[in-house]
Amino acid sequence: RKYKMRIWHISDTHKHHNLLTVPTDVDMVIHSGDCSNPRDPYANEPEVREFLDWFNALPIKHKVFVAGNHDTSIEHGFIHKKEIASSGIVYLENTSAEIEGIKIWGTPYTPEFGFGWAYNKKRDKMDKMWKSIPEGTDIVVSHGPPMGVLDLSYNRDNNLEFCGCSAMKKNMMRLEPKLVLFGHIHNGHDIINAGTMQLSGYKTIYSNGSVVTDGKFG
């Protein structure tokens, strides 16, 4: 069976969502997390609520959202996932949904770095999560990227490194979903991560939907 679904994929809006030009010819919008900025969940909550109001009001039929490492107020329960879902947004947290025959699985979890960020897991715990994705899933929505796929960034020593999850890449190559949608690793002043790519010999389209560059709206 072939599906015809026009999807707008965005991520890492970091409170700049109002600057986006919203397309008028799409059936679904998918946001891969980091709608907010502050690490402190009390300061984070109003930013997430402002984003959710905007997201809910978009004139687009289907809306899918996963949280990101900055969205600490969701992880701490200040904004409950049932509250998000009650507004008509499909919220995914290691869960699946089917929309017009399209099977979508989503997660906010990324390999841990630093302290105090939301939805961080130890790298050696990630494989079990990816293996839980049901066979036949059409779209995987995550906050973070697979290793080596639109995930290049500078580390603390100012050296370039691939920041994605190697267990995710291995499992995406095994599952071969139609789309893998993520963000988390932004464009840099001399690095382009936002965009789409395919791995040679595989049909899956990977998309980094980040819309900020080096802390600036891009």
Side-chain angles (χ1 to χ4, degrees), residues 68-192:
N69 62 291
H70 276 262
D71 303 324
T72 53
S73 58
I74 301 176
E75 186 186 51
H76 282 77
F78 294 7
I79 300 171
H80 198 277
K81 49 194 172 186
K82 288 182 180 177
E83 181 184 347
I84 301 172
S86 69
S87 68
I89 296 167
V90 176
Y91 176 77
L92 300 175
E93 190 173 308
N94 292 5
T95 51
S96 295
E98 187 167 322
I99 299 175
E100 295 193 22
I102 298 174
K103 296 174 182 175
I104 306 171
W105 184 93
T107 183
Y109 285 95
T110 50
E112 69 178 2
F113 66 98
F115 176 76
W117 296 112
Y119 301 107
N120 275 197
K121 271 185 185 290
K122 291 186 182 297
R123 281 192 180 266
D124 60 5
K125 302 291 185 186
M126 297 290 288
D127 188 54
K128 184 178 180 181
M129 183 187 78
W130 301 121
K131 283 179 176 172
S132 74
I133 301 175
E135 296 281 344
T137 295
D138 298 300
I139 301 174
V140 172
V141 184
S142 66
H143 180 52
M147 178 73 77
V149 181
L150 303 171
D151 67 332
L152 194 59
S153 187
Y154 287 98
N155 62 23
R156 288 186 177 90
D157 299 320
N158 209 37
N159 294 318
L160 283 170
E161 68 175 44
F162 295 111
C163 303
C165 176
S166 56
M168 179 184 182
K169 183 178 183 182
K170 179 178 67 178
N171 281 282
M172 294 308 99
M173 292 170 74
R174 173 180 61 84
L175 289 165
E176 286 199 80
K178 293 177 176 65
L179 302 173
V180 177
L181 310 178
F182 52 88
H184 190 40
I185 308 300
H186 310 156
N187 285 348
H189 66 279
D190 58 348
I191 305 166
I192 301 298

